[in-house]
Amino acid sequence: MKSTQTDDRIKIAVQKSGRLTEHSMDLLVRCGLSYSRGKDRLICYGENMPVDVLLVRDDDIPGLVQEDVCDLGIVGLNIVEESSLTLRADGATRLFEKITPLDFGHCRLSFAVPREVRYESPESLAGKRIATSYPRIVSAWLDKEGIDAKVVVFSGAVEIAPSLGRADVVCDLVSSGETLKAHDLQEVETVLQSRAALIRTPVELAPAKSQWVERLLQRIGGVLQVRESKYIMLHAPRSALKEIKALLPGSEAPTIMPLEGTDDKVAVHAVCRENVFWETLEELKEVGASSMLVLPVEKMLA
Ligand code: PRT
Ligand code: ZN
């Protein structure tokens, strides 16, 4: 195990090349990180923070964090769950900590059957061969449901298993559902809702490192909050203020300011901690709001 005294830079494991890569690096950049890439392109060295990013396959991320090779990792909850079950089955007592679910990489792990097959309930899976890259999650789900079925492990292209005659059912990640459709499969049951998440080493960090990790987590929280938030400005009749405040999504205490030359109208400024949709603006207009402006929020720190 590495010594935290000799190495006081934070290491974050991020997917090298795949669906989570761009979002993960974008998140770190929004937290203020600027970096240069090592010659082998496997490490990004933080230039303005003691933070380095290791670029690896997503499947390796939980293990690297659990073994404390990396302090933090960004990986899908699907991989987190499968690895947790595997590590526990292998006797690991200290796993990584799941800390923050992030706002990208949304998908679900679902069972799908050929279009012509009737599926009524989990019992319909009894005695079937199920192709999946997530054998631990699927087996745990089948056990919980009390279903006896055979799990066939595929490391990729799971959706072709039924047409190859290798399985009757698949259990794979789905986002738009287009891949299943293209293979004449219908989604019938969801086992796990997933998205990217930040995980942390089970080992206690040295104080200096810990302070930086806390700082980074606070900034990540700020970035996530900002992406959801909007700043709204509008004019409102004083008489409609109560209704208008109630319509502002996720806003706490709006600022109310007088308007020059009129006593019965005021300006309302508020941070909405949820997106402001056209429907909300239309409802605000109906109760008397006018001159509405919705602006993005650049940074936010609670
Ligand atoms: O090389 P490495 O091992 O790092 O990458 P990988 O090929 O294992 O992973 P990658 O890049 O495909 O996905 C990384 C992570 O993104 C996953 O672990 C999930 O957490 C998340 N994610 C989000 C998805 C999807 N959406 C997704 N749609 N991962 C895979 N898919 C695949 C799915 O397996 C299926 O083949 O996309 C296809 C279905 O997509 P739809 O839109 O047609 O339903
Ligand atoms: Zn992978």
Side-chain angles (χ1 to χ4, degrees):
M1 199 161 285
K2 80 178 185 220
S3 146
T4 40
Q5 269 104 40
T6 53
D7 189 2
D8 53 6
R9 293 181 68 81
I10 296 162
K11 289 195 191 68
I12 308 183
V14 161
Q15 191 186 22
K16 181 168 178 253
S17 161
R19 287 167 202 264
L20 303 182
T21 309
E22 211 181 305
H23 290 290
S24 305
M25 294 311 292
D26 177 67
L27 177 64
L28 296 174
V29 168
R30 282 174 194 270
C31 289
L33 181 71
S34 57
Y35 60 87
S36 57
R37 267 201 164 184
K39 273 208 200 95
D40 54 9
R41 305 186 72 78
L42 296 179
I43 302 183
C44 298
Y45 297 100
E47 289 172 339
N48 56 345
M49 299 185 200
V51 172
D52 298 327
V53 180
L54 260 73
L55 298 167
V56 294
R57 285 202 58 190
D58 66 346
D59 315 71
D60 295 334
I61 294 175
L64 289 170
V65 176
Q66 189 249 343
E67 287 166 18
D68 194 39
V69 176
C70 291
D71 307 289
L72 300 172
I74 298 178
V75 63
L77 285 171
N78 47 309
I79 302 275
V80 169
E81 189 59 24
E82 184 70 16
S83 305
S84 304
L85 294 170
T86 308
L87 289 164
R88 269 202 214 100
D90 292 348
T93 46
R94 283 197 308 182
L95 295 186
F96 37 77
E97 286 173 49
K98 277 184 242 178
I99 23 180
T100 312
L102 302 170
D103 61 355
F104 54 88
H106 292 86
C107 58
R108 53 198 185 274
L109 183 64
S110 289
F111 284 106
V113 298
R115 211 199 310 261
E116 65 281 4
V117 171
R118 265 190 60 198
Y119 178 91
E120 271 149 19
S121 68
E123 274 82 62
S124 308
L125 299 172
K128 301 281 190 252
R129 294 165 303 159
I130 303 168
T132 187
S133 308
Y134 297 88
R136 300 270 182 193
I137 299 178
V138 172
S139 300
W141 188 88
L142 291 169
D143 281 352
K144 193 182 81 191
E145 296 289 329
I147 309 290
D148 191 15
K150 183 170 167 27
V151 175
V152 187
V153 183
F154 268 62
S155 56
V158 173
E159 61 282 347
I160 62 168
S163 55
L164 291 178
R166 300 273 312 277
D168 311 298
V169 178
V170 304
C171 189
D172 197 14
L173 296 177
V174 185
S175 45
S176 69
E178 287 305 315
T179 305
L180 291 182
K181 248 194 233 156
H183 289 84
D184 279 334
L185 296 166
Q186 48 167 331
E187 186 177 355
V188 291
E189 191 90 48
T190 295
V191 174
L192 178 88
Q193 290 288 350
S194 181
R195 52 167 140 166
L198 192 71
I199 55 172
R200 189 210 307 239
T201 170
V203 174
E204 200 179 324
L205 300 171
K209 226 172 165 180
S210 171
Q211 262 178 14
W212 262 105
V213 167
E214 289 314 317
R215 230 167 137 177
L216 196 62
L217 293 181
Q218 197 175 46
R219 290 185 188 184
I220 288 176
V223 172
L224 298 183
Q225 187 65 74
V226 157
R227 289 210 272 231
E228 275 283 287
S229 300
K230 293 284 177 267
Y231 192 79
I232 183 165
M233 301 194 277
L234 54 85
H235 291 177
R238 274 189 191 281
S239 56
L241 268 179
K242 203 170 158 208
E243 284 159 292
I244 284 178
K245 281 196 224 165
L247 282 171
L248 295 174
S251 121
E252 279 154 25
T255 309
I256 314 286
M257 285 164 290
L259 278 173
E260 188 66 26
T262 165
D263 281 338
D264 52 354
K265 272 195 161 187
V266 288
V268 178
H269 288 198
V271 173
C272 293
R273 288 171 181 267
E274 290 164 39
N275 209 342
V276 179
F277 296 104
W278 282 110
E279 289 74 9
T280 308
L281 294 183
E282 286 156 7
E283 284 170 340
L284 285 164
K285 193 173 163 66
E286 255 170 48
V287 297
S290 59
S291 305
M292 287 177 269
L293 269 183
V294 180
L295 307 172
V297 177
E298 165 86 17
K299 286 195 177 66
M300 193 186 258
L301 200 63

